[in-house]
């Protein structure tokens, strides 16, 4: 490689230091009876902090790029790409769920799922669909195959499906946030049970088409998972969309919502808590118990505030001058202290071979140094400098 | 023992923070963390002495200087750091330098 001579030695050096330290302390860890896993955790924490500091270029980029790509697929894809492909997911998942034989798409990027959908659609139309699928499609106006239309254009779904009873299922990617608010699944009571669409792991959108003996009852529920993807603020709509008349379906939705939210790290504590009330506790809540704990916290906070107020009143009454003295002390001018409070102070940590001065001309002979300049790290084995005082 | 000088670097601080996190979760003891830091001191001193082979020149104006306990601390202004490959300019830089003579340090070891 022609560029090898100019490559930055810092990442390699840091990596070698990390490896040396970890290997050397492994014995210490074992002597203390600490598990090897803790050692690995230390290494991971260390490397992550180095990466976050951005002080080192190209540090572990190759190794962790793949890891981050896999790890972030679930998170980033859900958040970033969700807005562009969110609408695409419902039809995809509907298709995947209705074909029980179809394996769930796990870590595949959303685009891949989209690609697979046309095949699924063809397969669906060719083969017999499940009862739920047939019922839903029958409910829809004949000749309308929403999923075909939905999948044709990535990122631009402008299909408007109108059910027999007037339930409307609008899909417009550009108005995702608004759409989800506007889409009202008109679920009608009557024991309609919607089949549960199993979740795709990275994809959290699930649609539960209505099933049952009411062909005129149609409606597509955009489950809250979709909303979760776009952000917490949209989650509030999930509750709006869950019609109370169908507890069974709601439970299923709640399950999936909780699963999704847990996968995403438990986004909004509000909706899942409320949903949990309706649902038997099947999943652990990341945010912990809902009502009771919040009450306790409020009580504790109130007590703490009262104590603070009492102390403040005492101090304020006795020493009115105490507040004035610190104010006076602020009049002092201290240039050095202000400058030292900089966020990214450029620092060089090294050893000196020789420091020489002639009148006001200083010469520095330094060695084995690590520099942090403008936020980036450099190293040197020797440094020679001149400065005038 | 080696200089603990390099603990206040990106590499050293990230290690210390990681160790602090493990201490807080009580996965390691503070004593063990200290041992790790001592090991880090050795490793970084060795690495810098053996694995780094580049020179840097710099020029600027000296704002303050301090020599205490055989440690020089300088603050320079408007400094240019020049390496063969590139040039870095900073408005202010603090240089902390311990005695580079090997014998000088080891005699101070307690």
């Amino acid at each position: 490689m022609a560029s090898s001579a100019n490559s930055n030695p810092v990442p390699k050096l840091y990596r070698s230091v990390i490896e040396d330290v970890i290997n050397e302390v492994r014995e210490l860890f074992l002597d203390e009876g600490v598990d090897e896993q803790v050692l690995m955790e230390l290494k991971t924490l260390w490397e992550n902090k180095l990466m976050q500091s951005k002080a080192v270029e190209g540090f572990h980029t190759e190794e962790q790029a793949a890891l981050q790509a896999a790890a972030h697929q679930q998170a980033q894809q859900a958040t970033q790409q969700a807005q562009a492909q969110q609408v695409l997911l419902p039809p995809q998942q509907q298709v995947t769920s209705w074909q029980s034989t179809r394996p769930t798409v796990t870590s595949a990027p959303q685009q891949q799922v989209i690609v697979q959908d046309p095949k699924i659609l063809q397969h669906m139309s060719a083969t017999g669909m499940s009862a739920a699928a047939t019922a839903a499609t029958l409910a829809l106006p004949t000749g309308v195959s929403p999923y075909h239309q939905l999948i044709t254009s990535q990122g631009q779904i402008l299909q408007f499906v109108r059910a027999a009873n007037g339930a409307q299922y609008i899909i417009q990617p550009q108005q995702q946030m608004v759409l989800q608010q506007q889409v009202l699944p008109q679920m009608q009571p009557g024991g309609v049970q919607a089949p549960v669409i199993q979740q795709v792991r990275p994809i959290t959108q699930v649609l539960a088409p209505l099933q049952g003996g009411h062909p005129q009852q149609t409606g597509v529920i955009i489950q809250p998972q979709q909303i979760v993807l776009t952000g917490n603020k949209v989650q509030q709509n999930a509750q709006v969309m869950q019609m109370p008349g169908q507890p069974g379906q709601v439970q299923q939705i709640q399950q999936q919502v909780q699963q999704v939210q847990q996968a995403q790290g438990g986004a909004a504590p509000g909706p899942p808590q409320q949903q949990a009330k309706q649902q038997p506790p099947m999943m652990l809540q990341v945010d912990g118990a809902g009502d009771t704990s919040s009450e306790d916290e409020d009580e504790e906070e109130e007590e703490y505030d009262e104590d603070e107020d009492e102390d403040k009143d005492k101090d304020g009454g006795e020493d009115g001058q105490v507040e004035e003295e610190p104010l006076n002390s602020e009049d002092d001018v201290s240039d050095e202290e202000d400058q030292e409070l900089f966020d990214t102070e450029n620092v060089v940590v090294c050893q000196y071979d020789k420091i020489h001065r002639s009148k006001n001309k200083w010469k520095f002979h330094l060695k084995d140094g690590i520099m942090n300049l403008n936020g980036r790290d450099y190293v040197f084995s020797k440094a020679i400098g001149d400065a005038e005082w | 023992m080696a200089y603990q000088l390099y603990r206040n670097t990106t590499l050293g601080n990230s290690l210390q923070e990681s160790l602090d996190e493990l201490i807080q979760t009580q996965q390691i003891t503070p004593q063990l963390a200290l041992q790790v830091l001592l090991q880090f001191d050795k490793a970084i001193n060795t690495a810098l002495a053996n694995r780094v082979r580049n020179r840097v020149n710099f020029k600027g104006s000296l704002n303050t200087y301090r020599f205490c306990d055989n440690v020089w601390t300088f603050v320079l202004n408007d400094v240019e750091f020049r390496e063969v490959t590139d040039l870095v300019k900073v408005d202010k830089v603090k240089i902390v330098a311990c005695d580079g003579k090997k014998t000088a340090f080891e005699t101070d070891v307690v």
Side-chain angles (χ1 to χ4, degrees):
Chain A
M1 289 179 60
S3 63
S4 62
N6 295 331
S7 64
N8 193 5
V10 176
K12 290 182 192 170
L13 176 74
Y14 283 9
R15 216 177 293 182
S16 71
V17 170
I18 292 179
E19 294 294 329
D20 285 346
V21 172
I22 295 294
N23 289 331
E24 296 278 334
V25 302
R26 181 167 284 121
E27 283 190 25
L28 293 175
F29 270 57
L30 294 177
D31 287 344
E32 288 259 337
V34 180
D35 192 23
E36 170 89 9
Q37 192 175 354
V38 180
L39 182 67
M40 287 299 112
E41 191 175 340
L42 170 67
K43 183 179 181 187
T44 306
L45 283 171
W46 194 0
E47 290 172 350
N48 287 342
K49 287 187 195 297
L50 277 172
M51 292 208 48
Q52 287 173 7
S53 73
K54 296 179 188 175
V56 186
E57 277 185 25
F59 184 81
H60 273 189
T61 48
E62 294 181 358
E63 292 180 7
Q64 293 195 2
L67 292 177
Q68 286 181 355
H72 289 328
Q73 273 184 1
Q74 297 181 4
Q76 288 180 354
Q77 282 185 357
T79 57
Q80 295 176 1
Q81 296 178 4
Q83 294 182 358
Q85 300 174 357
Q86 206 172 11
V87 188
L88 292 173
L89 293 178
Q92 296 169 2
Q93 289 194 358
Q94 284 180 353
V95 173
T96 57
S97 66
W98 287 357
Q99 287 187 348
S100 60
T101 58
R102 178 162 186 81
T104 59
V105 180
T106 57
S107 63
Q110 295 175 357
Q111 293 179 354
Q112 293 180 1
V113 178
I114 298 172
V115 171
Q116 295 170 355
D117 285 337
K119 297 180 184 177
I120 299 171
L121 290 177
Q122 294 174 0
H123 186 61
M124 272 183 63
S125 60
T127 63
M129 292 184 291
S130 64
T134 52
T137 51
L138 285 177
L140 297 170
T142 57
V144 175
S145 57
Y147 306 107
H148 286 287
Q149 296 171 353
L150 290 172
I151 299 173
T152 48
S153 60
Q154 293 183 4
Q156 287 184 354
I157 297 177
L158 299 175
Q159 299 307 323
F160 181 85
V161 176
R162 185 174 294 174
N165 63 350
Q168 298 177 357
Y169 181 72
I170 304 170
I171 299 175
Q172 290 181 0
Q174 294 179 355
Q175 299 176 359
Q176 291 171 0
M177 298 296 289
V178 178
L179 273 180
Q180 292 178 352
Q181 297 175 0
Q182 291 177 353
V183 179
L184 295 177
Q186 295 181 1
M187 297 170 59
Q188 295 183 3
V192 177
Q193 293 180 354
V196 176
I197 296 176
Q198 293 180 355
Q199 289 182 2
V200 178
R201 288 178 198 172
I203 302 172
T204 58
Q205 294 176 356
V206 177
L207 289 180
L210 292 179
Q211 178 193 10
H214 298 276
Q216 293 181 352
Q217 293 178 358
T218 60
V220 179
I221 301 171
I222 294 184
Q223 294 190 353
Q225 294 169 354
Q226 281 184 354
I227 302 170
V228 168
L229 290 177
T230 56
N232 295 335
K233 51 186 173 179
V234 193
Q235 282 183 356
Q236 296 175 357
N237 295 327
Q239 298 175 357
V240 175
M241 302 175 71
Q242 286 182 356
M243 302 303 289
Q246 295 179 349
Q249 188 172 4
V250 167
Q251 288 180 1
Q252 290 168 348
I253 296 171
Q254 290 172 352
Q255 284 182 13
Q256 293 173 354
V257 169
Q258 285 190 356
Q259 287 176 1
V260 171
Q261 289 178 347
Q262 287 177 3
Q264 293 181 352
Q273 289 179 1
Q274 295 181 8
Q275 292 171 3
K277 290 179 186 176
Q278 299 177 3
Q279 180 184 0
M282 295 180 63
M283 303 294 289
L284 294 175
Q285 283 188 346
V286 177
D287 56 343
D291 297 332
T292 57
S293 65
S294 64
E295 289 178 356
D296 291 336
E297 289 175 357
D298 293 337
E299 291 177 354
E300 292 175 357
E301 290 175 356
E302 290 174 356
E303 293 175 355
Y304 182 68
D305 292 336
E306 291 174 355
D307 292 336
E308 273 185 343
D309 293 335
E310 291 176 356
D311 292 335
K312 286 180 182 176
D313 292 335
K314 289 179 184 176
D315 290 335
E318 294 177 357
D319 296 332
Q321 293 178 355
V322 172
E323 294 179 357
E324 290 179 358
E325 288 180 2
L327 291 177
N328 290 334
S329 68
E330 290 177 0
D331 293 336
D332 294 336
V333 176
S334 55
D335 291 334
E336 291 181 359
E337 291 179 1
D338 291 337
Q339 289 175 357
E340 288 176 1
L341 291 177
F342 275 4
D343 290 339
T344 56
E345 173 161 326
N346 306 301
V347 179
V348 176
V349 186
C350 58
Q351 301 176 26
Y352 62 87
D353 281 330
K354 199 167 196 65
I355 304 295
H356 175 78
R357 178 194 65 83
S358 202
K359 297 236 171 110
N360 69 336
K361 303 282 187 281
W362 289 72
K363 289 196 191 322
F364 313 94
H365 292 257
L366 309 172
K367 71 173 185 182
D368 297 342
I370 299 179
M371 308 192 285
N372 184 279
L373 306 173
N374 297 328
R376 293 191 22 195
D377 274 7
Y378 305 87
V379 292
F380 62 83
S381 63
K382 257 186 175 351
I384 297 180
D386 286 289
E388 197 173 306
W389 179 75
Chain B
M1 279 189 52
Y3 279 129
Q4 299 182 4
L5 172 71
Y6 302 100
R7 292 190 187 181
N8 189 23
T9 58
T10 311
L11 195 61
N13 282 327
S14 51
L15 176 61
Q16 293 194 61
E17 288 173 11
S18 306
L19 288 171
D20 285 340
E21 285 184 24
L22 292 180
I23 291 176
Q24 281 188 3
T25 60
Q26 297 187 345
Q27 288 173 282
I28 62 174
T29 64
Q31 177 66 21
L32 182 59
L34 180 62
Q35 297 292 323
V36 175
L37 283 172
L38 292 174
Q39 192 60 47
F40 167 76
D41 295 331
K42 278 190 217 169
I44 190 68
N45 274 281
T46 308
L48 283 174
N50 298 336
R51 301 209 194 108
V52 184
R53 284 279 175 267
N54 59 329
R55 277 185 58 156
V56 169
N57 289 321
F58 62 95
K59 188 187 310 188
S61 54
L62 185 64
N63 186 318
T64 61
Y65 56 89
R66 177 187 300 137
F67 184 63
C68 182
D69 291 335
N70 281 330
V71 177
W72 276 104
T73 305
F74 305 103
V75 176
L76 277 72
N77 291 119
D78 300 326
V79 194
E80 282 186 8
F81 287 86
R82 199 176 295 267
E83 202 168 351
V84 177
T85 52
D86 48 13
L87 170 71
V88 180
K89 290 189 188 180
V90 294
D91 291 337
K92 176 179 175 240
V93 65
K94 175 191 272 192
I95 301 180
V96 179
C98 290
D99 197 343
K101 298 192 199 60
K102 192 173 175 183
T103 56
F105 178 74
E106 287 177 352
T107 54
D108 293 336
V109 173
V110 176

